[in-house]
Amino acid sequence: MQFQTGEHNYLRRSQAESTAAELGCLFSGTAPVPAMPKGEQSGSIPPLIDNLEDAPALKIIFPQKKYEILAIDGGSSVLAKGGNIEVIAWRAGCVSFDDINRVDEKCPPPEILAYNRLTVQDILSDYLADTDVTIVSQEQPIRLVDELRWLEEWKLLSRLIENSRPQSLILIDGSLHLNPLYNADSQHGLFKNAAEKKVYLAAVTKTSSLSIDRTTPIDIGIKNNTELNNSIWYKKINQKLKADSLWLGDIYLARLHSGADKQYRVDLNRFDEDNTDEIMGMIASVSDDVEFAGYPYPLAAAHRLARIDSIFKQDMLNSLKIALDNSDFSLELWQYLTRDIHDKLNADIMELTHNDQ
Amino acid sequence: MTSNRFIGRLIGKSVSELSFRSFYAGHISIGSIVMVDDDDTNRKYLLRVIDVSYGHESSEANWAEKVAGRMMEEDQKDRLYRIHDPERRLYKIVKCSPLGYIQNNKFNRPRSIPTHFSPVLLPDMETMEFLREYSGDLIVGYLRCGEDTMDISLGMDGSTLSQHVGIFATTGMGKSNLMKVLASAIMESKEYGLLIFDPHGEYFDGGREADRKGLKDHPLADSRFFTRTLRNLKGAQVDKLSIPFSEIEIEDITQIFGFSQAQYEALQAIRIKYGKEWLYKLCTKDLESLLEELQSSQLSFHESTMAVLIRRAKRLLEFRTVNKDKSYSTVGDILGKIQNGYTVLVDTANLSQDEETLVTSVITRAVLKSYKRKYQTEGDFEKLSPCLIMLEEAQRVLMASTGDTNIFHRIVREGRKFKVGLGVITQQPKLLSEELLSQLNSMFILGLADERDRNIVRSSSKQDISSLSTEIQTLAAGEALLTSPTVPFALPIKVFLYEDYLKAIKTNYKQTVEKPAEDFF
């Protein structure tokens, strides 16, 4: 077989066409998928209602007064790894807004840890020593850095609930799912406490994995079925939770700005269900930023505040290197930990890649 | 940094140009003077804002264009939106020209840059107090900071009047108002003589607009302000404008008529033969007797040459300001007043342009001649008040294309030595020669719309105002820049509105209206 230069860098038309057809099947629901489990399960979400598209949508009304709105997000990064050894960094930060103006922000420098992946349970136990959270699952977290970031956000959330004024809203990036690794009563306790203090909790998921009939993503698949097409609305999409349910939040789909590209999954504290209209109004009132229309701006601000980007990661690696230079740590070992053979292989296209971003 | 004067942090970049980041909501305009408080060196740097531009924190390519596009889309669909967190995401970049720094209450020229990220503040009174040292004795306005003013009165130093003054502005930018305020300051100083030629009739009573005031309304007008006019103006010290034939020289009529070489030589011959009576003779004698008289002195001219001269001389006789009676002359009267520090307005509003040119030339030349004569006389010259001759629409006699031989050019070249300064008022400085402009040591630059006007003024100024083109372009009515060797930098001034100025000073003069000395006349 003879190859011509560059012949490998293209996708055959037949391949593209067959993949396109497969995608069409996947989204049309003609491809077979396992049936949805019935009743409350121990997964990450409570069971959704049937006929999501037919569920009634309610108009969101903006609140008459201004509230303090806070937002939490975390950032994490694996700085170096080799074998079972990893160096990880994580943190959580928050911002608070008075209407469109940022009034405060808190974001500490990251925690940093070098560890052996065989000691994850011990690290988590140590980390939780001064909290009422206990590990109840024998399963290992997939990535320790993600778990520590989640716990850092959890701790920050606890502090904010404690210190916030009634009728403040705390926005959380992601969802209000129960973390199965830890005891449910402590997680429930925090959410109940928030509701008792009238501190509202809401989580917004940037890209939801939920889907209609396990195929079409809910954030684009479900359209509003009423005359509210050009308005802002929300609809509850999970089944009613039982009184003793373990779930932390009810799940809603919400279109938070009339010019939004899509609707978002919004989880509200299940113990605040009497205040849903008010809370949705509060969230929508900060979702009219022109750049992030339909997404709460404080969450975008928290994300940018807490993230550990590539420049900061490189900066931390440089600091580590300087510290190691003063010890008898082997340079060869450090290079082993930080070198990614892909970087070397892709060095010729790095510039092009950056330009393309 | 909680001070309400705090407006930003320094971000760059060199001794000749500094920039700072300012707040999104902060209002800062071109021409503002701001202060950099450098604690490390204990210096307070002063900067002048020369440009303001947008800045944003996003590193995303074309972010601003994309957001604007999104806004336009939302606008078209009548959807409401906002920009959240504006102070974090949006800001202004303010480009400045360094003026200098203050250390130990002394102003110094900038030769270094402030410490990185030094705070930038609106200047306080205490910092700007040093400017009072440069305020001069002829106050015309307040220190302007962008669109606001500070309570520091500024003006020009009267000692520089004889080094010539330029006042440049597009119509409606406040030339006449500035002129009236400056004339008032000169009147009040009692140190300097002022001669104003007013072709528009706006300085005596404010002109046609009913709510405008003129120099006659000044509390000192009755004692220190004199008007010579052919118009029927009501007021004390108003008298007839009259130029006797005997005061007119060849140089004056060459401003009106063009002469051939033969005609010019004939004029000189007549001037030599008849002395101060030359023009009178030219008008009153018939052609034949004139030719004969000249021939008797070995002066022979062609008949047609002489006929042209007689015709033109007779035309001068038609001018209402020109009279045959040499016993009465406005010129001597004017000279006496300005040499003693009074203000004289020569109202040429209803004169033809030729007549106006003649009057202006005769009087101006007489002033220079008189000061020159006194310069030769020891003792007399020191007693003379320096004087300023203000020339409206100066481009008509100082145009670069008309050469540089007339009396006004002479004053620009020689006047300084003899305490005679020329005030050049024009809305078209581009028509003046660069050499002439470079002789104007003080300039009041008001709003100039034409770029060529701005360019020539910038290149002729005694201060480096090369970076101030945008400021000059955006000056509002009544806003001025003063450049002069006696000020540390081009001073931004908000000129007093003359009518307000009168109200403010009238109380001061209520009790002290001064009369001229009895023996003065």
Side-chain angles (χ1 to χ4, degrees):
Chain A
M1 186 183 286
Q2 286 189 328
F3 291 101
Q4 292 177 351
T5 306
E7 195 178 349
H8 60 293
N9 274 344
Y10 75 100
L11 184 63
R12 282 196 300 274
R13 185 175 171 181
S14 59
Q15 285 179 301
E17 286 173 349
S18 66
T19 307
E22 282 166 13
L23 263 175
C25 286
L26 288 168
F27 277 102
S28 66
T30 52
V33 289
M36 180 90 82
K38 295 290 182 187
E40 290 195 10
Q41 307 292 317
S42 58
S44 60
I45 58 163
L48 303 183
I49 57 173
D50 297 327
N51 300 322
L52 286 172
E53 288 175 277
D54 296 333
L58 301 170
K59 188 173 181 177
I60 297 176
I61 309 291
F62 285 121
Q64 292 298 310
K65 62 174 188 174
K66 306 292 180 198
Y67 298 91
E68 183 184 27
I69 297 182
L70 301 99
I72 292 177
D73 202 359
S76 58
S77 178
V78 176
L79 301 180
K81 65 179 177 184
N84 279 331
I85 306 299
E86 272 191 350
V87 182
I88 55 176
W90 70 96
R91 66 176 170 188
C94 68
V95 291
S96 68
F97 277 77
D98 176 6
D99 195 22
I100 63 168
N101 297 309
R102 187 185 305 223
V103 291
D104 198 10
E105 62 180 37
K106 288 187 175 62
C107 188
E111 301 285 335
I112 186 164
L113 176 71
Y115 76 104
N116 186 315
R117 282 203 273 191
L118 300 174
T119 62
V120 166
Q121 290 289 1
D122 295 339
I123 292 167
L124 280 178
S125 298
D126 287 349
Y127 188 81
L128 295 169
D130 57 349
T131 70
D132 60 352
V133 178
T134 54
I135 299 170
V136 294
S137 170
Q138 293 306 306
E139 284 183 30
Q140 285 250 68
I142 297 169
R143 275 165 46 104
L144 178 65
V145 70
D146 292 340
E147 208 55 41
L148 290 172
R149 188 190 65 227
W150 186 89
L151 286 167
E152 198 69 36
E153 290 178 43
W154 185 262
K155 283 182 178 179
L156 180 56
L157 178 63
S158 306
R159 288 199 300 276
L160 289 181
I161 291 170
E162 208 54 48
N163 298 323
S164 293
R165 292 193 298 268
Q167 291 188 300
S168 304
L169 168 66
I170 302 175
L171 293 166
I172 299 155
D173 179 50
S175 57
L176 295 184
H177 67 80
L178 189 104
N179 191 325
L181 272 184
Y182 311 109
N183 56 325
D185 56 334
S186 70
Q187 297 177 64
H188 269 256
L190 184 67
F191 276 59
K192 272 184 180 163
N193 182 35
E196 283 164 9
K197 289 193 68 182
K198 286 201 172 301
V199 174
Y200 304 140
L201 303 179
V204 181
T205 308
K206 286 192 271 294
T207 305
S208 175
S209 58
L210 298 185
S211 53
I212 305 167
D213 298 330
R214 316 195 86 187
T215 52
T216 310
I218 57 163
D219 41 13
I220 60 163
I222 297 182
K223 302 296 181 194
N224 160 43
N225 56 358
T226 70
E227 71 283 2
L228 301 176
N229 268 330
N230 293 318
S231 184
I232 52 175
W233 51 264
Y234 73 93
K235 62 165 77 177
K236 187 175 176 182
I237 60 170
N238 67 286
Q239 294 174 17
K240 186 168 174 58
L241 298 174
K242 292 176 183 168
D244 59 350
S245 169
L246 294 178
W247 302 109
L248 298 173
D250 284 313
I251 303 177
Y252 298 82
L253 200 63
R255 187 170 186 79
L256 296 166
H257 186 263
S258 51
D261 294 337
K262 61 169 195 164
Q263 45 267 24
Y264 286 90
R265 170 185 167 180
V266 178
D267 294 10
L268 299 188
N269 185 353
R270 58 169 295 198
F271 303 111
D272 270 334
E273 60 183 344
D274 292 341
N275 302 311
T276 306
D277 285 344
E278 185 182 6
I279 298 169
M280 282 296 179
M282 292 167 76
I283 300 171
S285 75
V286 291
S287 300
D288 60 348
D289 179 81
V290 68
E291 187 181 3
F292 301 99
Y295 185 74
Y297 181 79
L299 276 176
H303 171 79
R304 289 183 170 178
L305 179 72
R307 70 185 168 191
I308 295 174
D309 58 26
S310 57
I311 296 170
F312 184 33
K313 177 181 173 179
Q314 192 55 51
D315 192 44
M316 286 193 283
L317 284 172
N318 291 344
S319 298
L320 260 179
K321 174 72 170 54
I322 291 167
L324 288 170
D325 284 345
N326 296 328
S327 69
D328 55 359
F329 192 81
S330 149
L331 176 64
E332 196 179 3
L333 192 52
W334 176 247
Q335 285 175 339
Y336 166 73
L337 284 171
T338 55
R339 187 175 53 207
D340 184 340
I341 190 65
H342 292 95
D343 289 346
K344 178 126 184 102
L345 292 171
N346 293 333
D348 61 329
I349 60 164
M350 288 303 276
E351 192 178 340
L352 180 64
T353 308
H354 283 299
N355 285 341
D356 285 344
Q357 283 170 356
Chain B
M1 185 64 62
T2 54
S3 164
N4 56 8
R5 294 190 296 113
F6 175 63
I7 52 169
R9 288 271 177 188
L10 204 62
I11 56 171
K13 61 180 188 179
S14 70
V15 172
S16 59
E17 185 182 301
L18 290 167
S19 300
F20 68 92
R21 172 176 169 158
S22 190
F23 294 107
Y24 157 77
H27 179 72
I28 190 145
S29 50
I30 284 177
S32 296
I33 291 181
V34 299
M35 181 177 95
V36 175
D37 202 352
D38 187 352
D39 279 343
D40 288 5
T41 58
N42 202 25
R43 289 175 174 180
K44 286 184 165 78
Y45 286 83
L46 294 179
L47 323 176
R48 164 181 259 126
V49 174
I50 55 173
D51 201 8
V52 184
S53 58
Y54 293 114
H56 60 77
E57 290 240 324
S58 178
S59 54
E60 187 183 334
N62 303 324
W63 178 84
E65 289 94 322
K66 288 175 189 168
V67 171
R70 182 64 194 260
M71 286 178 168
M72 290 156 70
E73 186 184 336
E74 300 292 296
D75 292 336
Q76 285 182 323
K77 291 177 179 167
D78 279 336
R79 294 195 293 238
L80 301 177
Y81 58 86
R82 296 184 292 177
I83 283 273
H84 288 244
D85 212 6
E87 283 295 354
R88 177 62 65 97
R89 297 157 80 191
L90 304 170
Y91 51 87
K92 295 188 180 92
I93 295 292
V94 184
K95 196 158 84 173
C96 301
S97 167
L99 298 173
Y101 65 88
I102 301 162
Q103 194 169 32
N104 302 324
N105 298 320
K106 197 165 174 281
F107 182 82
N108 304 275
R109 301 252 175 242
R111 275 177 293 203
S112 62
I113 52 176
T115 308
H116 265 122
F117 302 120
S118 293
V120 183
L121 306 147
L122 292 174
D124 55 351
M125 281 295 287
E126 188 187 341
T127 305
M128 302 308 285
E129 283 291 331
F130 80 97
L131 271 180
R132 294 193 194 279
E133 188 186 329
Y134 302 96
S135 64
D137 54 340
L138 303 176
I139 300 297
V140 297
Y142 288 118
L143 172 65
R144 179 171 52 82
C145 263
E147 291 165 17
D148 299 320
T149 55
M150 292 182 80
D151 189 16
I152 295 176
S153 303
L154 296 174
M156 65 177 293
D157 191 334
S159 67
T160 62
L161 285 178
S162 58
Q163 295 171 26
H164 317 303
V165 182
I167 297 180
F168 308 120
T170 303
T171 304
M173 286 292 117
K175 280 194 305 284
S176 306
N177 179 70
L178 167 61
M179 205 30 238
K180 286 188 280 190
V181 174
L182 181 61
S184 297
I186 291 174
M187 221 187 294
E188 289 155 33
S189 78
K190 302 171 189 170
E191 300 281 326
Y192 316 104
L194 176 64
L195 173 60
I196 307 169
F197 292 107
D198 181 10
H200 304 309
E202 58 191 337
Y203 294 129
F204 179 76
D205 55 7
R208 289 184 177 176
E209 291 178 58
D211 56 341
R212 289 276 178 259
K213 301 279 185 193
L215 294 175
K216 76 171 178 63
D217 301 303
H218 193 281
L220 294 182
D222 285 352
S223 59
R224 304 201 68 82
F225 175 58
F226 301 87
T227 304
R228 296 296 174 256
T229 181
L230 285 185
R231 289 198 294 156
N232 184 26
L233 298 177
K234 297 276 185 291
Q237 322 289 6
V238 177
D239 210 340
K240 190 184 170 195
L241 176 62
S242 178
I243 309 284
F245 265 173
S246 57
E247 300 278 359
I248 299 171
E249 291 290 351
I250 297 171
E251 185 183 351
D252 303 322
I253 62 171
T254 56
Q255 300 297 309
I256 306 170
F257 305 116
F259 293 101
S260 66
Q261 184 62 27
Q263 290 164 345
Y264 191 74
E265 284 172 13
L267 279 175
Q268 286 180 314
I270 294 166
R271 174 69 178 87
I272 290 165
K273 178 160 183 64
Y274 297 113
K276 287 179 97 50
E277 297 288 307
W278 72 278
L279 192 55
Y280 180 74
K281 297 283 186 194
L282 197 55
C283 289
T284 52
K285 284 189 177 297
D286 59 56
L287 178 60
E288 284 169 13
S289 58
L290 190 62
L291 285 169
E292 273 174 29
E293 283 186 26
L294 288 170
Q295 206 142 28
S296 66
S297 304
Q298 310 299 315
L299 297 165
S300 175
F301 295 100
H302 196 277
E303 191 180 314
S304 61
T305 302
M306 204 56 70
V308 169
L309 298 183
I310 290 172
R311 192 170 66 243
R312 289 181 177 176
K314 284 185 173 169
R315 183 156 165 232
L316 294 180
L317 199 60
E318 294 166 8
F319 290 171
R320 289 180 298 152
T321 49
V322 178
N323 69 64
K324 297 173 205 162
D325 180 6
K326 58 185 176 186
S327 65
Y328 178 74
S329 166
T330 302
V331 180
D333 166 50
I334 291 172
L335 277 175
K337 288 181 172 56
I338 62 172
Q339 286 175 355
N340 284 280
Y342 291 83
T343 295
V344 179
L345 176 72
V346 175
D347 178 69
T348 57
N350 59 346
L351 307 185
S352 68
Q353 187 168 339
D354 285 350
E355 188 171 7
E356 178 203 336
T357 305
L358 181 79
V359 167
T360 310
S361 177
V362 170
I363 298 174
T364 304
R365 187 179 39 71
V367 171
L368 181 63
K369 187 177 170 188
S370 170
Y371 272 76
K372 275 175 98 169
R373 193 180 296 142
K374 300 248 176 178
Y375 180 73
Q376 313 295 335
T377 317
E378 203 173 326
D380 283 0
F381 189 70
E382 280 67 35
K383 291 179 200 159
L384 277 182
S385 296
C387 84
L388 180 69
I389 302 170
M390 295 302 302
L391 204 55
E392 271 274 7
E393 305 290 355
Q395 75 280 357
R396 293 192 299 194
V397 289
L398 289 169
M399 215 165 353
S401 56
T402 60
D404 62 351
T405 55
N406 65 26
I407 180 61
F408 308 103
H409 281 102
R410 278 220 334 262
I411 288 189
V412 171
R413 282 197 300 271
E414 306 169 16
R416 172 188 317 204
K417 187 174 173 186
F418 307 112
K419 296 192 192 175
V420 179
L422 191 68
V424 175
I425 308 174
T426 179
Q427 48 183 305
Q428 292 176 293
K430 64 175 177 288
L431 298 180
L432 311 181
S433 74
E434 276 190 60
E435 190 205 340
L436 182 139
L437 283 168
S438 68
Q439 298 283 343
L440 308 179
N441 268 10
S442 301
M443 288 185 186
F444 287 99
I445 305 163
L446 295 99
L448 283 171
D450 190 307
E451 189 182 2
R452 288 173 301 164
D453 286 326
R454 294 197 298 274
N455 288 344
I456 195 162
V457 167
R458 284 191 298 144
S459 62
S460 310
S461 163
K462 294 299 168 206
Q463 258 94 22
D464 177 15
I465 55 169
S466 54
S467 58
L468 304 189
S469 180
T470 311
E471 180 176 352
I472 297 170
Q473 187 182 3
T474 57
L475 287 171
E479 295 178 346
L481 285 171
L482 168 62
T483 67
S484 168
T486 58
V487 296
F489 49 82
L491 293 179
I493 295 177
K494 174 77 178 174
V495 180
F496 303 132
L497 184 65
Y498 182 64
E499 287 70 25
D500 293 344
Y501 174 82
L502 282 186
K503 279 182 205 160
I505 62 165
K506 267 187 173 165
T507 48
N508 296 342
Y509 287 101
K510 215 178 229 174
Q511 308 299 325
T512 57
V513 177
E514 181 204 1
K515 293 279 179 197
E518 288 291 321
D519 60 348
F520 174 69
F521 303 106

